[in-house]
Amino acid sequence: MNISIIKYALQQSEGYRNHNSLDRNVLEMDLALFASKRRDVTASVLYSDLFYEIPGGLNPDQLGADRKQARPRSEDQNSSISNELFLLKLGQEYALSETLSNETSVYGSFNQFVNPFILDFKRDNQQVFGGRSVFNWELNGIDLLAGLEHQNSFFDGKNFGNV
């Protein structure tokens, strides 16, 4: 028997103020494959795309003139946040015997963050890769666990001044 789940979420908003919209899309997929009585295989994928505008703060005079306005230059500079994430995980559970089992998974993610603003511009990219394996030995009602996990992360962040 196999189980597949697909979920999608959409969120949109215009906000109260000018230059204050939000757009978020999230897609998630999960798969479970029961390959045999002793082996289960799983896969998960998550994709998220978030974008929202930043209207910025107003001083008392600006607030009194029009409380819905965006901070001057916010719209021209496209002050906003854009965050895109992709995540993938593959896993396996395997019963080696009645008392010994193993659970192993590998995963990776990619995240891209962009933030243009009035004063600066920020861009971050991150990749994460890893894996883990755990053995479970049931001995007279006691579970003994032993395993390994390793993860690498690569991050490139840049922040630029805005002239």
Side-chain angles (χ1 to χ4, degrees):
M1 177 179 180
N2 301 330
I3 296 175
S4 300
I5 298 172
I6 298 175
K7 301 174 194 172
Y8 175 74
L10 169 66
Q11 180 182 10
Q12 294 179 323
S13 172
E14 283 302 316
Y16 174 75
R17 296 177 57 199
N18 297 340
H19 195 69
N20 194 25
S21 68
L22 171 127
D23 188 17
R24 178 188 331 221
N25 292 276
V26 178
L27 177 65
E28 180 183 357
M29 295 183 287
D30 294 301
L31 171 68
L33 172 64
F34 303 104
S36 70
K37 291 180 181 179
R38 298 172 59 184
R39 182 176 177 205
D40 299 338
V41 178
T42 58
S44 296
V45 176
L46 175 72
Y47 175 75
S48 173
D49 186 8
L50 169 66
F51 174 81
Y52 62 92
E53 297 169 327
I54 301 173
L58 300 175
N59 65 34
D61 292 337
Q62 294 164 336
L63 185 64
D66 180 7
R67 63 180 44 246
K68 287 189 174 186
Q69 72 175 307
R71 178 178 175 176
R73 296 181 43 217
S74 282
E75 292 182 76
D76 299 338
Q77 301 279 135
N78 189 29
S79 295
S80 59
I81 298 283
S82 176
N83 191 29
E84 197 170 8
L85 170 70
F86 177 77
L87 174 68
L88 173 67
K89 176 187 169 251
L90 303 172
Q92 170 181 270
E93 292 182 32
Y94 189 74
L96 297 151
S97 70
E98 290 290 321
T99 59
L100 182 63
S101 64
N102 173 266
E103 184 176 339
T104 299
S105 60
V106 294
Y107 54 88
S109 71
F110 172 77
N111 189 45
Q112 184 176 46
F113 176 87
V114 178
N115 176 212
F117 191 63
I118 295 169
L119 306 174
D120 62 356
F121 181 91
K122 183 175 182 170
R123 182 181 65 220
D124 296 338
N125 291 305
Q126 183 177 25
Q127 297 89 35
V128 177
F129 304 97
R132 65 182 306 206
S133 185
V134 176
F135 287 91
N136 183 6
W137 185 29
E138 297 177 24
L139 181 63
N140 297 327
I142 298 173
D143 286 342
L144 300 173
L145 301 172
L148 297 169
E149 181 169 2
H150 180 76
Q151 179 173 304
N152 275 339
S153 179
F154 304 96
F155 182 80
D156 179 31
K158 294 190 167 71
N159 200 341
F160 305 95
N162 199 353
V163 180

